[in-house]
Amino acid sequence: MYVLDAENLVKVYKGRDKSNYTRALNGIDLKIENGEFVAIMGPSGSGKTTLLNVLSGIDRAYEGRIQISGAGIHSMSADELALFRRQRLGFVFQEFNLLDSLTLRENVMLPMVLDNKSVVEMSEKADKVMTMLDIYNIMDKYPYTVSGGQQQRTAICRAVINDPDIVFADEPTGNLDSKSSKAVMKCLERLNSLNHSTILIVTHDAFAASYCNKVIFIKDGRVHLEITKKGERKEFFDEILESLAIIGGEKDDL
Ligand SMILES: Nc1ncnc2c1ncn2[C@@H]1O[C@H](COP(=O)(O)OP(=O)(O)OP(=O)(O)O)[C@@H](O)[C@H]1O
Ligand SMILES: [Mg+2]
């Protein structure tokens, strides 16, 4: 069974009148297996964010079928979907979205607090994942006192603390400098290989995408190309750049 199995996704944004609409997703099929680490790339306006919002249940107004671990999220009520998202999915955002009134550790434990887990269990898991992502020694600091990369690594810990079926991230390195981007991508890579987390990111950045095992290129709301890492990251990076040139990504997407 696939962790994520989406069929024929169509999303139309309606404008003020009928002649004014955008077909942002134009019949997308997507399958992700357990333990995959996938990037979605494509030119600006190609439908990346729309796709991620549909797949992760943020946007419910679309056509098509989406199964996550066998559960059809397309047919869930708003309440069912909200619970499913909280218990089974992990989210990482470009803007980190940490609570400034909580320490990094408290931010990480927040999803477990909502699920009434025991304090011992929460502490042990938070320690383990924060150690894995190299933020153990700053766990008692507040978000506004640490770097963007450290904030994003905290957000990633929070996203995986409940062992989600899949983690979704829209431009997780979009607000970071190149050094922090690299640290964040290495952490996602580590979670994927050590913790077997299934991860789907959207990114403009070929360097970030090169840490993934597969890249899916979309354009005009359709899947155009899919490439899989076979050798070293550096080779995969070159292959991603070539693919972007072929599908016609804009220069600043490189
Ligand atoms: N809320 C909205 N209302 C109307 N049209 C929208 C809305 N959001 C996105 N669109 C349109 O849908 C298309 C896909 O947008 P989307 O944001 O998914 O692209 P993207 O690939 O994430 O782009 P970027 O790389 O710039 O973030 C674009 O033509 C966009 O203008
Ligand atoms: Mg976008």
Side-chain angles (χ1 to χ4, degrees):
M1 191 178 30
Y2 291 98
V3 171
L4 189 149
D5 188 350
E7 267 184 321
N8 200 17
L9 298 179
V10 173
K11 165 78 189 182
V12 177
Y13 289 109
K14 295 202 173 63
R16 292 224 181 96
D17 56 71
K18 278 193 176 154
S19 61
N20 179 17
Y21 65 90
T22 308
R23 235 176 138 79
L25 303 181
N26 215 340
I28 286 200
D29 293 334
L30 193 75
K31 291 184 194 318
I32 294 182
E33 286 183 63
N34 194 18
E36 281 198 292
F37 183 15
V38 180
I40 294 171
M41 298 194 80
S44 185
S46 57
K48 302 182 296 294
T49 296
T50 303
L51 178 60
L52 203 75
N53 289 347
V54 164
L55 292 176
S56 62
I58 290 172
D59 183 348
R60 294 180 67 220
Y62 61 90
E63 288 167 42
R65 289 175 298 280
I66 302 172
Q67 298 215 309
I68 296 182
S69 304
I73 67 163
H74 54 277
S75 55
M76 287 182 188
S77 69
D79 286 350
E80 286 169 339
L81 185 58
L83 188 65
F84 186 86
R85 292 181 61 221
R86 188 160 72 66
Q87 294 183 334
R88 307 279 294 273
L89 308 182
F91 292 89
V92 177
F93 302 94
Q94 184 171 344
E95 312 81 17
F96 322 138
N97 290 358
L98 299 175
L99 296 178
D100 266 341
S101 58
L102 301 181
T103 65
L104 301 188
R105 190 163 193 263
E106 289 164 346
N107 268 283
V108 170
M109 295 199 312
L110 197 55
M112 299 188 88
V113 174
L114 294 172
D115 269 351
N116 292 316
K117 295 274 167 56
S118 80
V119 175
V120 175
E121 188 185 349
M122 287 197 291
S123 311
E124 282 177 358
K125 280 199 89 171
D127 289 356
K128 183 178 164 227
V129 67
M130 293 182 89
T131 303
M132 200 187 291
L133 268 59
D134 275 339
I135 47 173
Y136 182 84
N137 58 340
I138 54 165
M139 58 162 61
D140 293 323
K141 296 195 173 200
Y142 286 88
Y144 50 87
T145 68
V146 304
S147 74
Q150 290 168 332
Q151 289 185 55
Q152 190 62 306
R153 282 185 276 150
T154 304
I156 292 168
C157 287
R158 181 184 57 186
V160 299
I161 198 80
N162 272 347
D163 290 325
D165 295 1
I166 181 166
V167 177
F168 294 100
D170 193 0
E171 305 279 3
T173 62
N175 279 350
L176 301 175
D177 60 34
S178 59
K179 188 163 167 260
S180 299
S181 293
K182 188 172 174 178
V184 161
M185 291 313 299
K186 283 190 162 195
C187 285
L188 288 174
E189 186 181 49
R190 208 175 298 157
L191 278 173
N192 173 250
S193 62
L194 298 182
N195 208 34
H196 311 291
S197 302
T198 307
I199 305 170
L200 178 64
I201 74 166
V202 159
T203 184
H204 272 95
D205 180 2
F207 179 74
S210 70
Y211 282 89
C212 299
N213 302 121
K214 184 191 273 185
V215 180
I216 297 170
F217 297 90
I218 68 169
K219 190 181 177 185
D220 303 328
R222 295 176 195 272
V223 173
H224 267 247
L225 186 69
E226 201 178 290
I227 61 173
T228 307
K229 189 191 267 170
K230 291 172 202 80
E232 296 297 304
R233 189 195 61 74
K234 180 70 182 70
E235 287 167 43
F236 195 44
F237 176 67
D238 291 339
E239 201 183 341
I240 293 167
L241 291 183
E242 283 167 27
S243 305
L244 282 172
I246 290 167
I247 75 153
E250 293 146 32
K251 281 213 181 63
D252 59 321
D253 288 342
L254 306 180

